[in-house]
Amino acid sequence: MSPSALHRHPAPSTASGATGRVHRALHAVDSDVARPTGRFRGDLTTERWWWSPELHALYGMPDGSTQPGAQLLLAHVHPADRPAVQEALAVACTTGAAVTREHRVVRADGEQRTVVLVCEPETDASGAVVALAGLVVDITEGRPPQPADEHVHQLETEVEQLRSAMASRAAIEQAKGVLMLLMSCGDQVAFDLLAHISSHTHRKVRDVAVAIVDSASGRHPLPDDVREILHDASPPGRSV
């Protein structure tokens, strides 16, 4: 699905409206049960998508057996639920707001599962949505419902944790890219440097990553302690 295709389905609903449906879906979910979870990311400028092996498995397809994409994702949505899911993706693309949506999926073998889609848009410096990243969580297995208020609170906590995790991962990946260019190093060395700075400055890895990305984009200067460590780690002739 191209960005223009998504934009053809605008809707006034928001992430909070979608969350209402998730509240009802999670009434029968045991918080102690590990739920199958697949991840995805779609670049709306290149229309290139990535699915984790877990997402392929959730849809009943061998990893690498087909080219992932928005159209394939929608193809596995139950026909009755497909318009609502497409609407949610359109909201994410047009407003930049995160969305959650409960729906049914039809696996390659015909089995139906109930899942929750959590989609977090990524924006560029101008605020335009350039990518969609998120999770598909299988909530089919459950138990008799507990008090509604408890499940509402549980859902809100879980969704916030998922969104926080995705935001942290994005910041860390961007900071690693900056360090790989600055230090002429590989992916693992860049992450090890982030961890080293985190340990010595008593900051979370995500906070270090955000500081580096903000400095690279000119939004804020590097904190002095972070700058000193990067300066010591920089190759000769390179400044931080």
Side-chain angles (χ1 to χ4, degrees), residues 136-219:
V136 179
V137 185
D138 189 338
I139 62 168
T140 306
E141 307 303 332
R143 66 177 183 182
Q146 297 177 9
D149 289 346
E150 179 180 340
H151 283 281
V152 168
H153 176 71
Q154 174 184 313
L155 170 66
E156 291 172 343
T157 300
E158 290 189 2
V159 169
E160 185 58 35
Q161 289 173 344
L162 292 173
R163 292 182 61 185
S164 177
M166 287 188 290
S168 296
R169 182 167 61 249
I172 290 171
E173 290 301 320
Q174 292 175 38
K176 282 165 54 180
V178 172
L179 292 178
M180 289 167 69
L181 289 173
L182 180 65
M183 305 295 178
S184 298
C185 64
D187 180 277
Q188 186 60 50
V189 172
F191 181 80
D192 290 344
L193 181 54
L194 283 175
H196 174 76
I197 296 171
S198 170
S199 175
H200 284 72
T201 63
H202 306 290
R203 290 181 170 89
K204 295 180 180 179
V205 172
R206 180 187 182 279
D207 293 340
V208 173
V210 169
I212 291 173
V213 172
D214 283 350
S215 174
S217 62
R219 287 192 290 266

Side-chain angles (χ1 to χ4, degrees), residues 87-160:
E87 174 188 88
L89 294 176
V91 168
C93 282
T94 56
T95 69
V99 295
T100 59
R101 191 60 54 105
E102 176 230 332
H103 63 278
R104 292 162 292 176
V105 299
V106 181
R107 289 167 43 90
D109 60 6
E111 179 187 2
Q112 289 188 22
R113 308 290 292 178
T114 301
V115 303
V116 170
L117 169 74
V118 181
C119 182
E120 184 85 4
E122 298 176 9
T123 57
D124 61 16
S126 69
V129 177
V130 295
L132 298 178
L135 305 163
V136 179
V137 185
D138 189 338
I139 62 168
T140 306
E141 307 303 332
R143 66 177 183 182
Q146 297 177 9
D149 289 346
E150 179 180 340
H151 283 281
V152 168
H153 176 71
Q154 174 184 313
L155 170 66
E156 291 172 343
T157 300
E158 290 189 2
V159 169
E160 185 58 35

Side-chain angles (χ1 to χ4, degrees), residues 1-150:
M1 179 188 301
S2 65
S4 59
L6 285 171
H7 294 168
R8 285 198 294 268
H9 302 274
S13 61
T14 63
S16 60
T19 301
R21 277 186 283 273
V22 184
H23 289 166
R24 296 190 294 273
L26 287 184
H27 275 234
V29 176
D30 187 339
S31 60
D32 295 328
V33 175
R35 303 171 197 158
T37 301
R39 294 181 294 131
F40 65 86
R41 185 181 186 278
D43 188 319
L44 301 184
T45 59
T46 64
E47 299 190 16
R48 295 185 62 181
W49 286 69
W50 169 84
W51 288 6
S52 70
E54 293 80 7
L55 186 56
H56 281 90
L58 194 155
Y59 290 148
M61 298 183 297
D63 185 21
S65 62
T66 187
Q67 182 65 37
Q71 292 290 359
L72 185 59
L73 186 150
L74 288 170
H76 281 279
V77 176
H78 189 285
D81 298 340
R82 195 171 296 151
V85 174
Q86 190 163 8
E87 174 188 88
L89 294 176
V91 168
C93 282
T94 56
T95 69
V99 295
T100 59
R101 191 60 54 105
E102 176 230 332
H103 63 278
R104 292 162 292 176
V105 299
V106 181
R107 289 167 43 90
D109 60 6
E111 179 187 2
Q112 289 188 22
R113 308 290 292 178
T114 301
V115 303
V116 170
L117 169 74
V118 181
C119 182
E120 184 85 4
E122 298 176 9
T123 57
D124 61 16
S126 69
V129 177
V130 295
L132 298 178
L135 305 163
V136 179
V137 185
D138 189 338
I139 62 168
T140 306
E141 307 303 332
R143 66 177 183 182
Q146 297 177 9
D149 289 346
E150 179 180 340

